Amino acid sequence: MDVHFSMSSFLSIVLQALLSSSRGSLEPYDLLYNNAVDAFYRSDYKDVVRYMEGALSSYAEVRQTKVRCRLRCQDQHPFDSVTMDLQFFDVVLRRSNCQNECVEEKVGTQSMHKVSEDVNQDFQRRIPYNYLQLAYQKLKQLDKAAAAAHTYFQANPEHVEMDQNLEQYKALEGTDQDHFVDREARPHQMSFSAGVKLYDSADYKGAIAQFEEALQEYYKADVECRALCQGPQRFEEQDHVLYRYSLYELVSDHFTQALHCEHECVRDLSTRPGRLSPMENYLPLHYDYLQFAYFQMNMVEEAMECAQSYLLFHEGDEFMTENVEYYREAVGHDVKPREKAEWYLRRHKQELELLVIGTFTVCLFMWLRALFLHSPRIPSGTDGWMEYVPISEKKNFTLAPPQELREGGPLVYDSVRLVQNSKALNGTQRVLLDDVISVDECAELTNLAHTVTMAGDGYRGKMSPHTPNERFEGATVLKTLQYGYEGRVPLKSARLFYDASERARRIIESYFLLNSTLHFSYTHLVCRTAIAGQQDHRNDLSHPIHADNCLLDPEANECWKEPPAYTYRDYSALLYLNGDFEGGEFIFTEMDAKTVTAQVKPKCGRMVGFSSGGENPHGVRAVTRGQRCAVALWFTLDPLFRELERLQADEVMQALDNQSSQSQWDTSLNINPKDEL
């Protein structure tokens, strides 16, 4: 009997067994999500639906359970009566214990529901609905396919294929407008949009009902958002392995992070799905619409109440002040703003003041600690040691001048040819080069890729991190060197990957005339393969339009340099290994993510390089036949963000150079491939 039993299947069984013995019976949504994706690539669409719908349900239940438990425990263990430190810590511990017991009673052991940030981002970006709409389409359940497609498109309006799928669904028999629902619609935004439509059609009575409901839902969503901020916090810029914090420092850092999270709820609640920038003046607009709608319904006291509420947010607004005076004359007495608006604004101002104080305190502490305790990561060009210079000796400290944008420097290697510069590519800080590596080197690296690359490697195990219509495989420099040591690939080929990436780095650094060292931020040997049977009428991109160090916001024509973007990246390059495939062209666009300014057809030895910011939005057209392989490279000018795997690879290469044969390899070297992209 032929039995296929993978490690993932084994882990799935173990996890499900553990779950069945816990108090709760909720399956982890990351496990269900992974099972659904596996089923998709087996073309088992019934299982895709079963697991993916289960994952969405589990995700929602975990979120709501956390909200309910944290709010309940917050009420049971308030800070109001706390006057001493020990009382404060007592409340913190009791509240934490209460929350843990409450959550575990509902969903089971919490450790089973600790999910990676990448999976959470997939759910926030509504990626599961992309799989669902394809699965429902295959199962001929067009009403559910339409709903899934519509839900996905609301958060991904730039997705060309989904837009066209929606048009096709609308034209099919068996679907009607009622099927195109947003399954993840936020009630406060839904009511607000409905209110605006009724207001614009002069249905003021209906608009009032919708805006009042929107306000109730907004304040409810605000409470839930703040409750979700009360859990464990991430300390991205602090190394808890190297530093020993005192209890007070940790508590201060935690609550500053939680406070910042709560303050961001204002932005979150006013931001529509798929948008990076919030709707301007969102909450006050409710009161603005309401004051005029009530006036139109001859409900002047209510109109004045809403106008006064608006002025809480925009004190002294000339137009609204005139309205208040008019309403006061009409009713003959004064009317106060709504208590809810006063309470909300008062709390918001207090948070802002505390956040400023807390951030200053933490930043001052971090600066002093970094000054006296911190050993920085080793920058390129040192021998592994860095001299400590006391602050008293840094008398002439000045900020480094900003990097001047230049290009046209030497190409370093005689064989390399300049094909197009920034002007020819209709942009800034762009270059297209040929013959960076030879045909034989392309063939050797392609063969290496076929042996070393694994599905999703480098993108946290995702088989197709950008589109389900292609198989994505990758490998890092360190991994290839490990394979070379183990004899699974020729060591010569592994060294070629290392050397080719260094060649690319030197060319980019020289051509753009950089006045400081360019360091590797991430290096990836990657292949994209078109999946047979999924290419008909395909209009999506292999890699959607994006920028490499900021969050592209086409609607606002901005690129926000903030996490989760890799803000430390400065330059990027793609070194192509082949051209025998269909599609897969590299494209530059305007900030609108639609207007193509330049297109590059990959071929062996061709390299495109560019600065990583919002001036260079780019993407990859769909690979519709064959396999596209390349070496993807990202660079930084900041040595603190140098690629850790590259440092390890440097050590491996040095060890190889210092040893006369592979048999003398130092097996104690820390070769531990780590995904950092």
Side-chain angles (χ1 to χ4, degrees):
M1 181 174 66
D2 184 19
V3 178
H4 297 283
F5 193 75
S6 65
M7 181 59 70
S8 62
S9 301
F10 173 74
L11 291 174
S12 179
I13 292 171
V14 172
L15 284 170
Q16 288 168 356
L18 288 171
L19 283 170
S20 63
S21 63
S22 63
R23 282 180 286 175
S25 59
L26 193 68
E27 289 188 83
Y29 57 89
D30 59 339
L31 175 63
L32 293 166
Y33 181 44
N34 184 66
N35 289 343
V37 174
D38 286 344
F40 182 86
Y41 289 105
R42 297 195 311 270
S43 299
D44 186 348
Y45 299 111
K46 287 185 178 179
D47 266 3
V48 173
V49 169
R50 180 165 65 93
Y51 285 122
M52 200 65 83
E53 291 288 9
L56 289 166
S57 177
S58 177
Y59 175 76
E61 181 60 28
V62 168
R63 185 183 187 279
Q64 283 305 310
T65 297
K66 287 180 179 178
V67 169
R68 288 193 296 267
C69 289
R70 289 174 185 176
L71 291 176
R72 189 182 80 180
C73 295
Q74 186 175 298
D75 290 339
Q76 290 179 0
H77 305 284
F79 285 118
D80 298 346
S81 59
V82 171
T83 58
M84 296 184 299
D85 285 357
L86 288 179
Q87 289 178 328
F88 169 79
F89 291 124
D90 179 66
V91 172
V92 169
L93 292 174
R94 289 181 185 277
R95 184 181 288 188
S96 177
N97 184 62
C98 172
Q99 291 175 2
N100 289 337
E101 288 185 349
C102 176
V103 171
E104 292 195 1
E105 182 181 351
K106 302 295 183 183
V107 303
T109 307
Q110 289 193 73
S111 61
M112 302 298 294
H113 297 279
K114 286 186 177 179
V115 177
S116 72
E117 187 64 24
D118 302 294
V119 172
N120 280 324
Q121 284 187 15
D122 276 3
F123 277 77
Q124 290 163 14
R125 292 171 52 216
R126 305 188 181 183
I127 301 299
Y129 288 100
N130 193 6
Y131 288 100
L132 274 177
Q133 73 93 18
L134 289 168
Y136 279 128
Q137 183 188 62
K138 296 288 187 180
L139 295 172
K140 307 299 183 185
Q141 299 180 37
L142 299 183
D143 54 339
K144 294 180 179 179
H150 181 77
T151 302
Y152 176 81
F153 188 69
Q154 295 305 302
N156 299 273
E158 78 289 345
H159 199 283
V160 178
E161 182 186 31
M162 196 64 72
D163 189 19
Q164 297 197 355
N165 284 351
L166 283 169
E167 293 302 319
Q168 291 175 12
Y169 288 136
K170 290 174 183 177
L172 291 174
E173 291 186 14
T175 60
D176 56 51
Q177 194 60 39
D178 292 340
H179 294 150
F180 296 89
V181 295
D182 183 359
R183 291 177 51 181
E184 297 287 338
R186 306 174 84 171
H188 69 282
Q189 292 185 357
M190 191 164 55
S191 296
F192 179 77
S193 297
V196 172
K197 289 179 181 178
L198 292 170
Y199 181 95
D200 290 341
S201 63
D203 182 355
Y204 298 112
K205 184 178 180 180
I208 288 170
Q210 289 295 331
F211 285 129
E212 292 290 9
E213 184 177 346
L215 279 173
Q216 291 182 18
E217 292 293 345
Y218 179 93
Y219 289 124
K220 178 183 175 182
D222 178 71
V223 170
E224 292 184 355
C225 179
R226 292 168 186 276
L228 289 170
C229 290
Q230 296 306 311
Q233 300 297 319
R234 296 178 61 192
F235 299 85
E236 295 178 353
E237 298 181 359
Q238 303 172 24
D239 191 338
H240 287 264
V241 175
L242 296 179
Y243 304 134
R244 294 184 179 180
Y245 291 85
S246 73
L247 177 62
Y248 289 96
E249 291 161 2
L250 282 171
V251 170
S252 174
D253 287 352
H254 170 84
F255 281 102
T256 299
Q257 293 279 352
L259 194 61
H260 182 270
C261 175
E262 290 185 21
H263 188 68
E264 282 295 300
C265 287
V266 177
R267 180 186 181 93
D268 175 66
L269 295 180
S270 58
T271 302
R272 288 173 292 171
R275 312 306 198 274
L276 293 172
S277 52
M279 288 180 272
E280 189 176 355
N281 203 31
Y282 180 67
L283 180 58
L285 269 178
H286 291 67
Y287 295 108
D288 191 3
Y289 278 115
L290 278 170
Q291 63 91 21
F292 190 76
Y294 275 123
F295 171 72
Q296 291 294 322
M297 296 298 296
N298 201 30
M299 302 170 69
V300 183
E301 283 200 22
E302 288 82 355
M304 187 176 178
E305 182 186 50
C306 291
Q308 292 279 40
S309 300
Y310 181 90
L311 285 174
L312 292 174
F313 297 90
H314 299 289
E315 187 177 352
D317 180 84
E318 183 178 354
F319 174 78
M320 197 60 70
T321 301
E322 290 177 358
N323 283 4
V324 168
E325 291 300 323
Y326 177 84
Y327 298 144
R328 186 179 289 117
E329 255 186 57
V331 299
H333 59 85
D334 205 1
V335 177
K336 292 183 178 180
R338 292 189 177 183
E339 290 184 6
K340 191 75 172 179
E342 287 184 308
W343 169 83
Y344 177 85
L345 196 61
R346 185 167 56 250
R347 184 186 61 179
H348 182 69
K349 287 181 177 178
Q350 289 173 347
E351 284 176 354
L352 193 57
E353 291 170 0
L354 288 171
L355 189 57
V356 170
I357 295 169
T359 302
F360 172 77
T361 304
V362 172
C363 287
L364 178 62
F365 170 73
M366 290 296 293
W367 177 75
L368 290 171
R369 181 176 54 202
L371 180 62
F372 294 109
L373 300 177
H374 183 42
S375 298
R377 289 169 61 180
I378 303 167
S380 175
T382 69
D383 58 2
W385 298 92
M386 177 170 281
E387 181 183 3
Y388 171 67
V389 182
I391 191 66
S392 59
E393 296 181 19
K394 299 180 180 179
K395 297 178 181 177
N396 298 318
F397 175 76
T398 57
L399 290 174
Q403 190 79 43
E404 183 182 354
L405 299 181
R406 300 181 296 170
E407 64 177 279
L411 299 178
V412 184
Y413 303 94
D414 293 337
S415 63
V416 179
R417 295 188 300 108
L418 175 64
V419 180
Q420 290 179 303
N421 59 14
S422 292
K423 185 176 180 180
L425 290 168
N426 302 311
T428 58
Q429 295 286 280
R430 301 175 180 179
V431 66
L432 184 63
L433 306 166
D434 274 349
D435 301 325
V436 174
I437 57 177
S438 68
V439 173
D440 289 343
E441 288 172 325
C442 284
E444 188 170 353
L445 287 175
T446 302
N447 289 334
L448 177 69
H450 292 160
T451 305
V452 178
T453 56
M454 293 177 58
D457 185 47
Y459 282 85
R460 298 180 172 100
K462 300 179 187 178
M463 294 184 69
S464 298
H466 307 301
T467 171
N469 297 311
E470 296 175 16
R471 186 174 70 254
F472 183 94
E473 298 162 310
T476 61
V477 170
L478 190 61
K479 180 180 176 181
T480 58
L481 288 173
Q482 182 188 27
Y483 273 43
Y485 161 65
E486 294 171 352
R488 298 162 70 176
V489 298
L491 188 57
K492 174 175 171 289
S493 299
R495 295 189 67 145
L496 175 61
F497 179 21
Y498 179 92
D499 292 337
S501 57
E502 171 61 19
R503 190 182 311 175
R505 187 199 67 80
R506 292 188 62 193
I507 292 171
I508 295 297
E509 181 183 83
S510 176
Y511 178 79
F512 287 112
L513 297 166
L514 303 179
N515 55 24
S516 57
T517 303
L518 197 62
H519 308 280
F520 288 99
S521 167
Y522 196 74
T523 313
H524 204 212
L525 178 60
V526 57
C527 293
R528 307 167 186 267
T529 308
I531 297 176
Q534 293 182 206
Q535 305 304 316
D536 294 342
H537 311 295
R538 183 181 169 193
N539 292 299
D540 67 329
L541 296 176
S542 176
H543 196 150
I545 303 300
H546 65 285
D548 285 341
N549 72 6
C550 53
L551 302 172
L552 191 63
D553 186 353
E555 189 173 82
N557 206 39
E558 292 282 355
C559 202
W560 308 101
K561 203 163 185 179
E562 59 188 44
Y566 301 97
T567 56
Y568 48 83
R569 290 178 176 172
D570 295 297
Y571 284 86
S572 309
L574 289 155
L575 174 57
Y576 299 109
L577 305 183
N578 67 318
D580 54 340
F581 52 86
E582 291 182 5
E585 296 87 356
F586 177 93
I587 53 175
F588 286 112
T589 73
E590 297 284 5
M591 291 278 281
D592 62 6
K594 295 178 181 178
T595 307
V596 176
T597 57
Q599 178 171 296
V600 174
K601 176 66 177 174
K603 71 173 188 176
C604 167
R606 173 164 285 179
M607 183 170 78
V608 59
F610 49 94
S611 56
S612 303
E615 68 279 1
N616 283 319
H618 58 279
V620 179
R621 294 194 189 278
V623 178
T624 56
R625 186 187 66 81
Q627 184 182 64
R628 175 190 191 269
C629 293
V631 176
L633 304 126
W634 292 271
F635 306 104
T636 178
L637 293 166
D638 188 343
L640 293 179
F641 291 99
R642 190 178 179 189
E643 182 182 9
L644 292 179
E645 280 205 14
R646 191 76 190 195
L647 292 173
Q648 292 178 289
D650 290 343
E651 293 177 1
V652 172
M653 292 297 293
Q654 185 176 6
L656 287 173
D657 291 339
N658 291 339
Q659 295 177 5
S660 58
S661 67
Q662 284 183 284
S663 62
Q664 294 175 324
W665 184 283
D666 181 5
T667 56
S668 66
L669 284 172
N670 181 22
I671 301 178
N672 180 27
K674 178 184 175 185
D675 172 20
E676 295 216 353
L677 187 60

